[in-house]
Amino acid sequence: MKTTVTGRHVEITPALRAHVEERLEHLAKYSGRPTEASVVLTVEKYRHQAEVTLNMDGVLIQAKDETSEMYASIDQAASKIERQIKKYKERQQGRRHRRPAVPLNSEALAPPTTDASMLAERPKLDSMTPEQAATALGDGDAPPLVFLRSGTDEVNVVYRKVDGTVAWIDPTR
């Protein structure tokens, strides 16, 4: 783990750096990946702050703690980071093992019923040209005529408009 330790108004002694690295190496076993850590240690009067930022492959985890002793601040900030890593790992495991929602009522499990007023048909369609279909449509209030267009075998529709003209529906256009 790559660790950067910065001090504001405090000198970073080898013992302090070793303590920070030891605590962060302890966190590396939870992250399981190479990580980067940035630690900022600050002293203002009697307040000793430790701010830890951990980058685990794009996931940024931060913790900040303040006590009257620097070592205690480092330990508490590292404990906060540890809790956050564990929580993140649990969420990731939960997402992997999540099952799709199952409907609670038995109606949702039953196959859909068909309404008697609407039945699906598969009639045999004649192959003809749009002109032949318009002629076959005839005069008056004939229902729309569905046919296979000769040469392309695509389904087309010919129907009579309100004004009496014949319209042709070609789904490819």
Side-chain angles (χ1 to χ4, degrees):
M1 177 183 313
K2 181 182 173 191
T3 306
T4 306
V5 182
T6 308
R8 292 187 185 149
H9 307 291
V10 65
E11 181 182 339
I12 305 299
T13 62
L16 198 57
R17 183 179 303 276
H19 184 73
V20 168
E21 289 175 354
E22 176 186 324
R23 288 296 292 173
L24 294 180
E25 285 301 321
H26 174 72
L27 298 176
K29 74 176 184 179
Y30 293 110
S31 65
R33 321 175 189 150
T35 55
E36 294 179 13
S38 173
V39 180
V40 178
L41 305 175
T42 308
V43 175
E44 294 176 359
K45 292 193 179 186
Y46 300 106
R47 295 180 301 186
H48 297 260
Q49 273 184 343
E51 184 177 345
V52 180
T53 305
L54 198 66
N55 185 357
M56 295 186 335
D57 291 338
V59 178
L60 202 63
I61 299 176
Q62 296 177 328
K64 187 177 191 178
D65 204 282
E66 180 180 311
T67 62
S68 60
E69 278 190 24
M70 186 58 72
Y71 288 95
S73 296
I74 294 167
D75 291 343
Q76 289 178 7
S79 295
K80 287 181 182 180
I81 291 281
E82 183 177 339
R83 282 193 303 271
Q84 290 178 27
I85 290 173
K86 286 179 181 178
K87 190 174 181 180
Y88 174 74
K89 289 291 186 180
E90 287 174 9
R91 278 193 312 242
Q92 293 301 319
Q93 290 295 327
R95 285 183 182 151
R96 269 189 224 133
H97 299 295
R98 188 175 296 156
R99 295 185 187 113
V102 177
L104 298 176
N105 57 6
S106 61
E107 293 173 5
L109 296 174
T113 58
T114 56
D115 190 8
S117 64
M118 188 166 115
L119 296 174
E121 291 184 14
R122 289 218 169 248
K124 184 174 183 305
L125 299 177
D126 295 329
S127 178
M128 58 180 81
T129 65
E131 292 80 20
Q132 291 171 336
T135 307
L137 185 63
D139 295 331
D141 294 333
L145 177 66
V146 180
F147 65 97
L148 287 176
R149 187 171 177 192
S150 59
T152 62
D153 288 335
E154 294 173 341
V155 176
N156 283 237
V157 178
V158 174
Y159 66 98
R160 187 164 305 279
K161 291 184 173 181
V162 177
D163 63 359
T165 59
V166 176
W168 167 39
I169 299 174
D170 183 7
T172 59
R173 297 184 186 205

